[in-house]
Amino acid sequence: MTRSEATAGEPAVVVHYRLHADFAVGSPWLRRALGPRTGLELDATGLRVRFGPWLVETPLSNLAGAEATGPYRAWRVFGVRLSLADRGLTFGTTTQGGVCLRFREPVRGLDPWGLLHHPGLTVTVSEPDLVAEAVNRIVAAA
């Protein structure tokens, strides 16, 4: 993270933040099936989560918070899953845990036409605590 130079009496402003988190994938065949660009990217331009052919993108201003969650039941985590209770989306690869991202305005993600919007996204990244902390710092600074 780099911060701009603060003048006397002014707080430093975050001008750039970059985080890449890989999905926690134990199986080599699943990693190949998802492709090399699968992962979570967080930087000054926003949040991007790619899971195989699916992509969720949103600006930093749309992030409402995050929390590390899990462990999960096996039948509820693997693959892409839509919650019928709240339209939340899950990109899952492991039962160990992940991070639940919340948005101010629901985002596109599951369908290619953008008809369905999701208020949250759960992703099973390899370092969920780190991702949750980074998102919550950005939300607190806004």
Side-chain angles (χ1 to χ4, degrees):
M1 183 178 346
T2 56
R3 296 181 181 269
S4 65
E5 293 294 318
T7 58
E10 292 182 18
V13 177
V14 175
V15 294
H16 182 73
Y17 189 92
R18 181 157 172 76
L19 171 71
H20 175 82
D22 286 325
F23 276 82
V25 180
S27 169
W29 66 266
L30 181 57
R31 186 171 299 282
R32 282 192 303 276
L34 291 174
R37 296 185 348 182
T38 292
L40 180 144
E41 298 269 337
L42 181 65
D43 60 26
T45 63
L47 170 77
R48 288 166 306 289
V49 182
R50 181 171 295 282
F51 187 76
W54 292 276
L55 175 67
V56 171
E57 296 182 281
T58 194
L60 295 180
S61 61
N62 194 35
L63 295 172
E67 63 183 303
T69 60
Y72 311 118
R73 295 183 179 109
W75 64 87
R76 301 188 80 193
V77 70
F78 293 106
V80 176
R81 188 174 142 289
L82 174 68
S83 167
L84 298 177
D86 67 356
R87 295 182 335 273
L89 185 59
T90 297
F91 293 162
T93 57
T94 181
T95 60
Q96 297 303 308
V99 63
C100 178
L101 306 164
R102 294 181 314 281
F103 307 112
R104 296 180 195 285
E105 295 293 325
V107 298
R108 295 175 55 170
L110 185 60
D111 71 293
W113 305 278
L115 301 174
L116 187 60
H117 290 78
H118 313 284
L121 172 64
T122 298
V123 293
T124 56
V125 292
S126 56
E127 297 183 89
D129 292 324
L130 176 68
V131 173
E133 180 184 339
V135 168
N136 290 328
R137 282 185 182 184
I138 289 168
V139 170

